[in-house]
Amino acid sequence: MTPSSPSPERRRAVITGASGFLGTALAGDLVQQGYDVLRVGRDGPDARWDDDDALARVVDGADLLVNLAGKSVGCRYTDANRDEILRSRVATTRALHDAVTRAARPPRLWLNASTATIYRYALDRPQTEDDGELGTGFSVDVARSWEDAFFDGDLPATRRVALRMAIVLGGPASDLLARVARLGAGGPQIDGRWFGHRRYRGIGDHPTGGPAPTHHSHGRQMFSWVHVDDVLRAVRFIDESGLSGPVNVAAPHPVDNRTFMAQLRRTVRMPVGIPAPRWLLEPAMWVLRNESELVLKSRWVLPARLQESGFEFRWPELAPALDDAVRH
């Protein structure tokens, strides 16, 4: 029996974006839980995005639907990349919405990826699902449009949860930062004046924001994170619980940028860490084909709904979480 050959005795999970870092880890975890896992992507293998009938067949009768599809944000926000980041999230979510609506036996639970970046730049207080304030600009507009498509309409037989994930340790983002730290450039990233480019301007039906903002946080911008193991465990917990709506998937003890980079230097055993003021950071990010928003935005997010429902994090503290993530 292969994961792509569902058995009537076993529960079926459908994953989109299963070829990525998180999708690969989640598919393996669901198989261990006893799910038959079917995968949807541009090339299948079980259904393709351009085949509506095949998509409807795999969704109909599934117990669990997990949508992780979307172009990686680990790129420069050129106009083409901006459009594809938005389109790849909204179009795939709408296609799944249509499949769930058509299903004779719709999934009991649909988990859709989202992002903790949906909240505003916060230095004054943490953001939770109930009292958090949404921000403005490109990344926020993408997240808003993504969640709007997800929560649109009435699907009475399907519980829906938007996973507002913080930066995941154990994947491409922490790998990039660890590589920078090993090169001796693992000091704090310090915001400041820079050219007012418009790559972060709003997008979608109701665009918000304008030129790239400037903040003088002196490296004290908050850094919310979560270990990949706890993402998988949160999915299990949500599967077994009655949670619905937006859920912050972030460790309960975020740190500021200076603290994060200091711990990262200890983890990779690099005693030197050159600070990166914005005038130095921006050219480096251009070389790395990434955006400074990854490290300059102050994300201060707490997992209120998970903790109120009784979820316990395996990796609540940064030091052991980073040690494990970087080592693996």
Side-chain angles (χ1 to χ4, degrees), residues 283-318:
M285 285 297 189
W286 179 83
V287 171
L288 294 170
R289 309 310 299 160
N290 222 301
E291 291 287 352
S292 63
E293 182 183 55
L294 171 69
V295 290
L296 291 183
K297 180 170 180 177
S298 187
R299 299 173 180 85
W300 193 354
V301 180
L302 293 181
R305 288 186 180 169
L306 280 175
Q307 290 193 299
E308 290 167 0
S309 300
F311 181 75
E312 296 183 2
F313 285 82
R314 179 176 293 165
W315 304 98
E317 303 291 344
L318 179 63

Side-chain angles (χ1 to χ4, degrees), residues 208-231:
T208 63
T214 296
H215 300 277
H216 297 283
S217 55
H218 307 289
R220 294 299 181 186
Q221 64 269 25
M222 295 299 292
F223 190 97
S224 286
W225 57 274
V226 63
H227 192 290
V228 62
D229 286 353
D230 279 327
V231 176

Side-chain angles (χ1 to χ4, degrees), residues 192-211:
R193 294 180 63 83
W194 187 249
F195 301 105
H197 68 76
R198 295 183 55 80
R199 295 193 304 278
Y200 299 171
R201 70 190 185 278
I203 197 171
D205 294 336
H206 304 286
T208 63

Side-chain angles (χ1 to χ4, degrees), residues 43-68:
D43 301 313
D46 299 298
R48 299 193 315 271
W49 289 114
D50 59 0
D51 188 338
D52 293 341
D53 291 337
L55 187 62
R57 283 195 299 272
V58 298
V59 167
D60 197 347
D63 292 277
L64 174 64
L65 172 60
V66 185
N67 180 24
L68 303 175

Side-chain angles (χ1 to χ4, degrees), residues 5 8 10-11 20 23 58 85 87 89 99 103 119 133-134 157 167 203 215 248-250 263 298 311 313 315 322:
S5 302
R10 290 162 62 90
R11 296 178 296 172
V58 298
I85 287 170
R87 187 211 65 79
R89 285 159 173 75
Y119 297 109
E133 300 172 79
L134 303 191
I167 293 173
I203 197 171
H215 300 277
N248 292 344
V249 184
Q263 182 56 55
S298 187
F311 181 75
F313 285 82
W315 304 98
L322 261 182

Side-chain angles (χ1 to χ4, degrees), residues 229-244:
D229 286 353
D230 279 327
V231 176
L232 304 183
R233 294 178 64 251
V235 168
R236 290 191 187 194
F237 182 85
I238 293 168
D239 190 1
E240 297 166 357
S241 75
L243 281 171
S244 62

